[in-house]
Amino acid sequence: MRRVRQGSIPDIIQRYRGIVLVVAVPLFLVCFILFVVSSTPGSISRKAIPGGLAGSRSYAVIFDAGSSGSRVHVFCFDKNLDLLHIEKKLELFEHIKPGLSAYANDPQQAADSLIPLLEKAESVIPEGLRHKTPVRVGATAGLRALGDEASEQILQAVRELLQHKSSLKFQSDGVTVLDGTQEGAYQWVTINYLSGRLGKSYADTVGVVDLGGGSVQMAYAISEEDAKRAPKVSDGEDSYVQKLFLKGSHYYLYVHSYLHYGLLAARAEILKISGDVSNCILGGYHGSYEYGDETYKASASPSGASYSKCKDDAVKALRVGEPACANMKCTFRGIWNGGGGDGQKNLFVASFFFDRASEAGFIDSNNPVAKVKPAEFEEAAKRACQLSIEDAKAAYPRVATDNLPYLCMDLVYQYALLVDGFDVDPNLYITLVKQVPYGDSFVEAAWPLGSAIEVASSP
């Protein structure tokens, strides 16, 4: 057998040099291109945009300019409109006090108050995506109460701020005063989206009551037959029913907003009823209450607060049964109630309802979701109304000093609103919600997510 001679490596390369050149040259070019691209300043990498390429995610920035403060929400969506994490959470949420309406005489100061929130929002959005990220500012009942001229001056100052000092995608019509039906509809979308109910039948969705500072909204899905029975409204008034198409399903959404009946505004309405001495103010307190441009005397009766008398004043302020409804069921002030039905049987109640229940101690403040009965607001009100202002300081350490004199009033009003105003069974379990669980995290139960879903769905 002949032995095959083994050549040296240089001999082998020389012998097969043609093949080596065919393989090596393209490989070298590919490596060189990759080196140049990765070294180019400003190139987008996975590190610059967490989670992958720019096209796989989008952001939306929503400012909630409410009567009690300003808040910013930043959301990140994938291509299926599912929420993605931002800094280990499913949203950025920051807030400041006071709200824009506190600067009625200084529009520029009102706009400048949003700068810290704007800077925080921009800081969590990858730089390469900021110019593509829409920003909206929705002012609610606080600005609605100022009147057209004052509110428009503030909004114009906010528009100029976003146009000149923001790197986000700005459109002037994205800064506006939300009407109450928009606010209520967005809130309904938010809670049903987070709880995984969008795309199901209307009977499987939940109803929402959102108690803000200046207004309260009720929204729930109704049948097409009930939608056809909705009463006609006068020109300039919001329709009772909105038709929505979400996740492949049509919904007829009953929604109504009651201006002047948010918690802070309702205090003023109750104080108008009571006059100089209020049965709803904790004993020993003598002061005044400011809301909007008005100041109201807020002094306790010599005998202190009275649950029963305060309840009478709250029902009068709600104007239950005025005017009477002849051919349909109404809530308060003669407002059609939507007809009831399956879309209202599971009720989620948000904002100040959760806050006061937590502060009064009948829900766990560390749990953002709680099941309660309206009757528990009544029981808490009866306990609070018995106390003087000094005793209440010790009994309710979590209540802010400026809210403490009105604790009896607030709890009475919340019970009256649910039971007398909206005709909710006092023993029906409702869900108090501050945040809604979504995946492995929690998201604020507020209307901005509904707005973000709308803007993220737009071309």
Side-chain angles (χ1 to χ4, degrees), residues 202-458:
Y202 88 93
D204 294 317
T205 61
V206 301
V208 173
V209 177
D210 185 26
L211 181 62
S215 61
V216 60
Q217 289 78 37
M218 172 173 274
Y220 65 96
I222 62 177
S223 68
E224 185 174 1
E225 292 71 26
D226 280 336
K228 291 177 181 177
R229 287 193 283 267
K232 303 296 183 183
V233 297
S234 304
D235 290 342
E237 293 184 0
D238 296 327
S239 171
Y240 280 111
V241 179
Q242 293 188 22
K243 189 174 181 180
L244 306 177
F245 184 75
L246 299 163
K247 287 206 168 183
S249 297
H250 286 284
Y251 296 101
Y252 295 90
L253 186 66
Y254 165 81
V255 56
H256 191 79
S257 178
Y258 301 79
L259 187 59
H260 306 304
Y261 288 96
L263 188 69
L264 305 183
R267 290 177 183 174
E269 298 300 317
I270 293 171
L271 290 172
K272 289 177 188 177
I273 298 293
S274 59
D276 290 344
V277 174
S278 174
N279 294 303
C280 297
I281 300 293
L282 293 188
Y285 180 81
H286 300 282
S288 60
Y289 179 69
E290 295 183 7
Y291 185 77
D293 294 330
E294 300 292 332
T295 300
Y296 305 88
K297 193 166 184 179
S299 291
S301 165
S303 58
S306 163
Y307 168 79
S308 59
K309 292 178 181 178
C310 183
K311 172 79 181 306
D312 289 343
D313 287 348
V315 172
K316 289 177 184 176
L318 286 168
R319 292 169 54 190
V320 174
E322 299 178 28
C325 294
N327 301 315
M328 62 188 70
K329 292 184 68 176
C330 292
T331 56
F332 54 99
R333 298 186 65 202
I335 303 300
W336 181 54
N337 76 345
D342 289 339
Q344 193 188 28
K345 66 183 179 183
N346 191 356
L347 205 58
F348 276 54
V349 181
S351 300
F352 273 120
F353 278 110
F354 184 95
D355 296 341
R356 286 296 175 272
S358 172
E359 292 165 352
F362 63 91
I363 65 170
D364 180 3
S365 60
N366 295 317
N367 190 341
V369 181
K371 288 276 191 180
V372 302
K373 299 176 182 179
E376 293 178 60
F377 282 93
E378 181 182 41
E379 294 166 6
K382 288 179 177 179
R383 291 193 295 269
C385 294
Q386 294 176 350
L387 301 179
S388 68
I389 188 71
E390 291 301 321
D391 291 337
K393 288 179 182 178
Y396 301 102
R398 298 186 68 249
V399 179
T401 301
D402 55 349
N403 287 325
L404 196 61
Y406 309 100
L407 184 60
C408 167
M409 180 188 292
D410 289 351
L411 293 168
V412 167
Y413 174 69
Q414 289 176 321
Y415 176 74
L417 177 63
L418 289 172
V419 175
D420 299 276
F422 290 135
D423 197 30
V424 177
D425 185 331
N427 292 308
L428 174 73
Y429 276 103
I430 60 177
T431 302
L432 294 186
V433 59
K434 183 175 182 63
Q435 296 176 315
V436 180
Y438 181 93
D440 61 353
S441 190
F442 287 86
V443 180
E444 290 292 315
W447 65 262
L449 176 56
S451 178
I453 291 169
E454 179 184 67
V455 73
S457 304
S458 303

Side-chain angles (χ1 to χ4, degrees), residues 165-179:
K165 295 186 179 181
S166 169
S167 58
L168 303 176
K169 183 181 178 182
F170 163 73
Q171 292 181 314
S172 61
D173 60 359
V175 179
T176 186
V177 175
L178 292 183
D179 63 52

